[in-house]
Amino acid sequence: MADCIFCAIVAGDAEADVVLDEPGFLAFLDRRPVFKGHVLLVPREHVVTLPDLPASERDGFLAAAQRLATAVVEGLGAQGSFVAMNNVVSQSVPHLHLHVVPRTKGDGLRGFFWPRRKYADGESAEYAARLRAALSA
C-alpha cells in the first residue's frame, strides 16, 4: 500500500532497526518505544487488522511473537513482556502490528497509559543487535 509506513519498511523504502526478517513477517524496533527494546511484528502482506490476517499466516505470526517475547527476556534482561495489538481503535498505523514490550517489575507501566521514550543516537541499533543475537541463539 503506497501510503503505509509499515509497507515502506517491509519494502526497504523506509529505515527501521530490523530485529526479525522472515518470508512472511518482519519485526523492528518501535521508534517511540514504551521501553527500550519495544518491538513491532508485522506481516509483510498489507492487512489492517487481526481478522484480516489469512488463516495460513496465523501460526507463523504467533510463533514469531513467541520468539520475540523470549528474545526480550534473553537478549535484554527483561523479566517478562507485554504483548498486545489494537484493531482499528487506537491503531496508529492501519497495518496489523503486534507490540512486544520488555517489562520488569516496578517499571511503572500501569494500565493502558503508555508513556513513550526516545533512543539516544546509535542506541536503537544496539538494542536491535542484542535482540537479533537472542533470536539466533
Side-chain angles (χ1 to χ4, degrees):
M1 183 163 232
D3 59 346
C4 175
I5 186 62
F6 291 168
C7 286
I9 290 170
V10 166
D13 296 334
E15 287 188 27
D17 291 293
V18 174
V19 172
L20 180 70
D21 187 348
E22 295 188 341
F25 312 104
L26 190 73
F28 48 90
L29 294 181
D30 190 308
R31 292 198 188 276
R32 292 180 36 245
V34 173
F35 296 114
K36 292 175 181 178
H38 175 169
V39 177
L40 300 176
L41 172 65
V42 302
R44 287 183 174 279
E45 177 184 340
H46 184 84
V47 296
V48 177
T49 64
L50 183 60
D52 300 324
L53 186 68
S56 61
E57 299 292 317
R58 270 193 319 245
D59 290 346
F61 191 75
L62 186 55
Q66 280 183 311
R67 292 176 39 228
L68 290 165
T70 300
V72 298
V73 172
E74 294 177 356
L76 304 180
Q79 293 174 323
S81 63
F82 175 72
V83 178
M85 74 177 72
N86 293 302
N87 286 296
V88 181
V89 176
S90 295
Q91 189 177 7
S92 58
V93 176
H95 183 127
L96 176 64
H97 56 285
L98 181 134
H99 298 261
V100 180
V101 180
R103 297 292 313 272
T104 56
K105 187 173 181 174
D107 61 18
L109 189 62
R110 301 247 187 270
F112 287 96
F113 174 69
W114 292 15
R116 298 301 185 131
R117 290 161 174 73
K118 292 184 179 182
Y119 289 103
D121 287 342
E123 193 177 29
S124 63
E126 175 198 336
Y127 274 81
R130 289 167 61 189
L131 289 165
R132 283 192 303 271
L135 285 163
S136 65

